[in-house]
Amino acid sequence: MKPNRDSKETYLKLEQFIERHFEGNQSWFARHMDVERQAVTKWINGGWIVVGGRLYSPKREVQKKIAK
């Protein structure tokens, strides 16, 4: 887990979350989430993360403000 610099919450990559909480079994996680196994693969490949028990997908990269 890595700390989020903007908050005190931590996150896990989805694959790490599944490893930790579902013994690495992506099919088990898919059943838990009521989705097809292929959706979990898509989420993992898409860089989804778990923060505070919520699943997040990246939408776009936020660039740091450049000082003038």
Side-chain angles (χ1 to χ4, degrees):
M1 283 194 293
K2 295 180 183 179
N4 182 331
R5 293 178 188 197
D6 297 329
S7 77
K8 293 182 180 179
E9 288 196 86
T10 56
Y11 74 92
L12 286 172
K13 292 181 180 179
L14 179 56
E15 193 168 25
Q16 294 170 317
F17 181 85
I18 293 170
E19 185 64 39
R20 182 174 290 179
H21 298 283
F22 292 85
E23 300 175 2
N25 190 320
Q26 294 177 13
S27 294
W28 182 16
F29 179 72
R31 285 191 297 277
H32 176 74
M33 296 296 291
D34 197 27
V35 298
E36 297 291 326
R37 166 70 174 73
Q38 292 83 356
V40 175
T41 299
K42 183 177 177 180
W43 296 345
I44 290 170
N45 292 338
W48 290 38
I49 62 172
V50 178
V51 180
R54 291 185 177 256
L55 185 60
Y56 290 92
S57 65
K59 296 296 180 189
R60 64 179 69 193
E61 190 168 325
V62 178
Q63 299 295 323
K64 292 182 180 180
K65 184 177 178 180
I66 300 172
K68 291 186 179 185

